[in-house]
Amino acid sequence: MAALLTVDHLSKSYNKKVQVLSDVSLSVDQGEFIALLGPSGCGKTTLLATLAGFIAPDQGRLLIEGQDITALPPHRRPLNTVFQNYALFPHMTVLANVSYGPLRAGSRRSEARERALRALEMVGLESLAERYPADMSGGQRQRVALARAIVNRPKLLLLDEPLSALDMKLRKHMQRELKALQEKLGISFIFVTHDQEEAMAMADRIVVMNQGRIEQIGTGDEIYQRPASRFVANFIGDANLLACEAVQGELRLACCGTALKPLHAGDSTSVMAMLRPEDIGLSRQPGTGHPAQVESIVNIGSYTTYYLSLNDTPIEVRRIGANDLGLLKGDTAHLDFPVQKVHFVEA
């Protein structure tokens, strides 16, 4: 069975100089929630615009259920887009905004109204059908944009950072609502974001992009625990990337000599050891690890982050809750590096 969407070796450059997409390949299954994640300028919005048909690729193909749509204009593609600014018609009521798509597709006015009301019911706005966009909150306008996008039941829904204009509390609420709606509809979503927490909270799989290329595709857990590159390790969450050295047939941490693994013929030593801040042990008790100096402590309520120096190597450690160890800046703490938590990336 063919994937719902296949992106086949897609490339795009501007003025033949600026490469914004470079040999991008991706497949999306029916009912899957995909997040395109990366820093500004990485190519994720260009990829979304190419999928929508607003930008023509220089090379590669786009297929939906095996059918080549690369040359189709936007209005003939079986997908819809929710834009960052929602792009609602200000002079139309909510109902008229949502009815617009079915009417353009040839539906009778009564049928378009019925379908629009059903779409508004799905997003919890049927009681506000006669309001105008200006009279609604940001979260309500975002739901109207979603209703307008799903009213024709597209095979694929593209979302270009639709939550970025919302405040943090509403944004987290809308993340849950959007994921629940996607599961209810069974429509595949491709969601552009630069917010790693948002991607981790919502997506079935995350596509991490950098400089027009895909660095890694995987679940949030796979990308967080087993990043494919230094870029992914640094971009997804916080990471301690520690230099390694070969000593007497072993790979060891350069900062403290902790043995990580035996070396065999052909093993690369040009690697760095990655440890997430929450995986490193921290104690006040001498003899329980390697002594390090506390440089600073940051508590945000739910967790405390300790910034330490171990033989001039900066180390970040995180513990749930308050500073229960009672450590202060300038104190000596003791660090333990659990070998089973170490993941290696190329140096």
Side-chain angles (χ1 to χ4, degrees):
M1 182 179 177
L4 173 67
L5 170 71
T6 301
V7 180
D8 184 26
H9 298 287
L10 212 65
S11 293
K12 177 66 181 178
S13 61
Y14 293 124
N15 301 321
K16 298 183 179 180
K17 295 180 180 179
V18 181
Q19 190 84 23
V20 289
L21 293 176
S22 182
D23 197 31
V24 171
S25 292
L26 168 69
S27 65
V28 179
D29 290 331
Q30 178 64 46
E32 200 172 17
F33 196 124
I34 298 291
L36 302 181
L37 176 67
S40 297
C42 73
K44 57 188 185 294
T45 298
T46 300
L47 176 56
L48 199 79
T50 305
L51 298 179
F54 303 130
I55 294 176
D58 298 329
Q59 295 178 350
R61 298 184 306 158
L62 297 170
L63 300 96
I64 288 186
E65 295 180 333
Q67 299 298 311
D68 194 327
I69 65 163
T70 313
L72 289 182
H75 68 276
R76 292 189 56 198
R77 300 189 179 200
L79 50 81
N80 220 326
T81 306
V82 177
F83 299 98
Q84 188 173 354
N85 64 358
Y86 312 142
L88 302 176
F89 298 118
H91 63 287
M92 291 184 181
T93 65
V94 167
L95 182 61
N97 264 280
V98 181
S99 301
Y100 184 79
L103 286 172
R104 283 291 304 271
S107 295
R108 297 190 306 274
R109 187 167 298 277
S110 59
E111 180 188 355
R113 175 185 172 85
E114 183 180 342
R115 288 171 59 181
L117 286 172
R118 283 203 304 268
L120 287 170
E121 185 178 359
M122 288 181 189
V123 299
L125 288 180
E126 65 275 18
S127 63
L128 303 182
E130 299 306 324
R131 283 198 187 179
Y132 287 86
D135 301 324
M136 309 183 81
S137 68
Q140 289 170 334
R141 288 197 294 272
Q142 195 256 9
R143 291 190 206 180
V144 176
L146 280 171
R148 190 176 63 179
I150 65 175
V151 69
N152 284 328
R153 288 299 182 99
K155 295 180 183 295
L156 180 65
L157 193 61
L158 310 177
L159 302 103
D160 186 11
E161 300 199 55
L163 308 182
S164 60
L166 306 179
D167 63 70
M168 184 181 295
K169 191 169 184 178
L170 179 57
R171 185 170 183 162
K172 289 185 179 297
H173 174 71
M174 289 305 301
Q175 287 171 10
R176 295 192 300 272
E177 287 208 354
L178 190 59
K179 179 60 177 175
L181 178 63
Q182 185 264 338
E183 292 175 346
K184 179 180 179 181
L185 293 171
I187 296 174
S188 299
F189 279 23
I190 298 182
F191 185 98
V192 165
T193 182
H194 63 270
D195 186 327
Q196 55 183 277
E197 289 188 13
E198 188 165 82
M200 298 278 280
M202 301 172 69
D204 299 316
R205 287 191 299 152
I206 299 172
V207 179
V208 183
M209 298 187 66
N210 180 35
Q211 297 183 341
R213 296 181 179 272
I214 292 178
E215 292 267 345
Q216 187 173 0
I217 302 174
T219 66
D221 185 64
E222 288 168 349
I223 287 174
Y224 186 77
Q225 299 295 345
R226 297 180 295 281
S229 65
R230 282 188 70 176
F231 172 82
V232 177
N234 274 317
F235 189 74
I236 303 294
D238 298 312
N240 293 286
L241 290 171
L242 307 175
C244 299
E245 58 184 4
V247 180
Q248 297 178 344
E250 291 182 322
L251 193 66
R252 300 183 182 182
L253 288 179
C255 63
C256 61
T258 294
L260 300 175
K261 66 176 183 177
L263 287 172
H264 303 288
D267 284 354
S268 173
T269 57
S270 180
V271 295
M272 301 194 81
M274 187 210 76
L275 277 161
R276 295 296 184 185
E278 63 271 19
D279 291 333
I280 298 176
L282 181 69
S283 173
R284 292 197 64 143
Q285 301 301 317
T288 56
H290 304 280
Q293 185 176 39
V294 178
E295 301 287 343
S296 64
I297 301 171
V298 177
N299 175 258
I300 66 164
S302 59
Y303 62 84
T304 301
T305 302
Y306 302 83
Y307 299 92
L308 307 102
S309 177
L310 173 59
N311 297 325
D312 296 324
T313 298
I315 306 288
E316 182 179 342
V317 181
R318 186 167 297 144
R319 287 168 63 96
I320 295 174
N323 178 17
D324 58 342
L325 297 176
L327 288 167
L328 300 173
K329 180 179 178 179
D331 285 352
T332 297
H334 299 268
L335 303 178
D336 174 59
F337 301 97
V339 175
Q340 69 275 15
K341 294 287 188 178
V342 171
H343 176 78
F344 296 99
V345 295
E346 288 297 319

